[in-house]
Amino acid sequence: MTVMRSQSILIFFFFIILSHFSVQVLASVCGGDENDSCNDKKKALPLKITAFFSILISSIIGVSSPLLSRSVAAFSPGRSTFVIVKAFAAGIILATGFMHVLPDSFDMLSSSCLNEKPWHQFPFTGFVAMLSAIITLMIDSLATSFYTKKHQEKAVVLPNKEGGAEMEALENGGGGHSHHSHGGTKFEVSTLYRYRIIAVVLESGILVHSVVIGLSLGASNNTCSIKGLIAALCFHQMFEGMGLGGCILQADYNLIKKATMAFFFSVTTPFGIAMGMIISRSYKENSPHALIIVGLLNASSAGLLIYMALVDLLAADFMGAKLQGDMRLQIKSYIAVLLGAGLMSVMALWA
């Protein structure tokens, strides 16, 4: 699991970087740069540096908060407070997909800078988002089946005092302890792997979105838009980090793995800003190639985030035994979802 996760993240990063470098090489100008009082490269530079460090700190705070809260008993996985916080985070991730990433993709792939055929004749954003959701389902399902089967093959049967048999799970990557019980081990291990797959897939989708928004901010010299984006993106990354941090916590990784995943999330947007600053001279955000590549990346990211929020986070919890057996907790969780989605939707006014 560890090797697969590391390789997938490295490949994902390489693909993103390669894609964006190709944008710069192939970019052509559509309508040219805007010449107004807001475009000032010298004034934009200190704002970008401020954005770099502000977003980095906000991302660290957001993703670390759930992980550090484990020492507080009320926020331990399985407790009612944790369920409510997780519902709030799921609302944030759902709104990120619907209110931020998907509209950006629609705008880019329907731009007047693109040719009428085929971009204005077929809804590529919806199509790619749909394919992304289906592929995410396939990865989710196949990975769960593979690792559950792999664990069953490695399971050790130990005789107990009553003369029966007890299954002992062989955990190689967990950060906590396994709870073994008669007939319960298979379910518990399968659930743990589900949480780990959810955390990895969710982070992959968030990383794509984070690089794109960082690149756009870093490449822009519009001081008017950058000023508004700094505050909005700080809140955006903090809330999104809380959602991801909750999933990482529930996956029960050891300290090194938690720190690695938190690190990747925290540095991705600042990394995008730095890349944008480097290639700002050649990058034209309204060039056809830039619009197509970033638009398609946003569409695929949106499909992944929407699927993960609805299926793996919300449906899994709300249809589970804990919430189904507690109507009060269920209502509180619904309010938390609406609050998270509402806050993130308001952020769409600025970012």
Side-chain angles (χ1 to χ4, degrees), residues 206-227:
I206 291 175
L207 291 185
V208 174
H209 173 52
S210 297
V211 169
V212 169
I213 59 177
L215 184 76
S216 299
L217 191 152
S220 174
N221 290 317
N222 190 312
T223 56
C224 299
S225 62
I226 292 174
K227 288 176 182 177

Side-chain angles (χ1 to χ4, degrees), residues 7-270:
Q7 288 179 340
S8 63
I9 290 177
L10 288 173
I11 292 170
F12 227 86
F13 258 95
F14 178 76
F15 172 74
I16 294 167
I17 295 168
L18 184 64
S19 297
H20 283 300
F21 271 120
S22 67
V23 171
Q24 319 318 320
V25 175
L26 299 172
S28 58
V29 180
C30 173
D33 295 325
E34 293 180 10
N35 293 313
D36 56 42
S37 58
C38 287
N39 277 294
D40 191 322
K41 189 173 182 179
K42 289 183 178 179
K43 290 182 179 179
L45 182 59
L47 291 175
K48 293 176 187 179
I49 294 171
T50 301
F52 181 95
F53 289 104
S54 300
I55 293 172
L56 177 63
I57 293 169
S58 299
S59 299
I60 292 171
I61 293 172
V63 75
S64 299
S65 297
L67 302 179
L68 297 175
S69 69
R70 182 159 192 167
S71 57
V72 181
F75 289 96
S76 298
R79 296 294 184 95
S80 296
T81 308
F82 180 81
V83 173
I84 294 170
V85 171
K86 189 181 173 186
F88 174 79
I92 289 169
I93 292 167
L94 183 64
T96 298
F98 273 120
M99 299 299 296
H100 293 258
V101 191
L102 202 61
D104 285 348
S105 179
F106 272 117
D107 289 343
M108 290 176 179
L109 297 181
S110 61
S111 171
S112 58
C113 292
L114 299 182
N115 294 330
E116 181 71 23
K117 293 181 181 180
W119 301 105
H120 292 188
Q121 296 182 342
F122 186 79
F124 281 97
T125 294
F127 180 70
V128 173
M130 176 186 70
L131 281 182
S132 176
I134 294 172
I135 292 170
T136 304
L137 169 64
M138 291 170 60
I139 294 171
D140 205 5
S141 175
L142 292 172
T144 302
S145 299
F146 174 78
Y147 283 104
T148 301
K149 184 177 180 181
K150 186 177 179 181
H151 172 268
Q152 289 173 350
E153 291 173 352
K154 288 184 176 181
V156 177
V157 181
L158 299 177
N160 58 26
K161 293 180 180 179
E162 287 76 24
E166 182 178 4
M167 296 294 290
E168 180 175 317
L170 296 179
E171 289 290 335
N172 293 321
H177 15 280
S178 303
H179 304 283
H180 307 302
S181 60
H182 298 282
T185 303
K186 179 180 176 182
F187 171 77
E188 288 167 2
V189 173
S190 177
T191 303
L192 179 63
Y193 278 129
R194 288 283 302 117
Y195 288 147
R196 292 181 177 180
I197 291 165
I198 289 169
V200 172
V201 176
L202 180 61
E203 179 160 27
S204 298
I206 291 175
L207 291 185
V208 174
H209 173 52
S210 297
V211 169
V212 169
I213 59 177
L215 184 76
S216 299
L217 191 152
S220 174
N221 290 317
N222 190 312
T223 56
C224 299
S225 62
I226 292 174
K227 288 176 182 177
L229 279 173
I230 293 174
L233 288 178
C234 283
F235 283 106
H236 180 282
Q237 290 300 105
M238 186 180 294
F239 289 143
E240 203 168 53
M242 288 171 60
L244 178 62
C247 292
I248 295 172
L249 176 62
Q250 205 165 29
D252 199 28
Y253 283 117
N254 60 34
L255 181 60
I256 295 175
K257 292 177 183 177
K258 287 177 183 175
T260 301
M261 295 185 77
F263 170 79
F264 273 110
F265 170 78
S266 300
V267 302
T268 303
T269 302

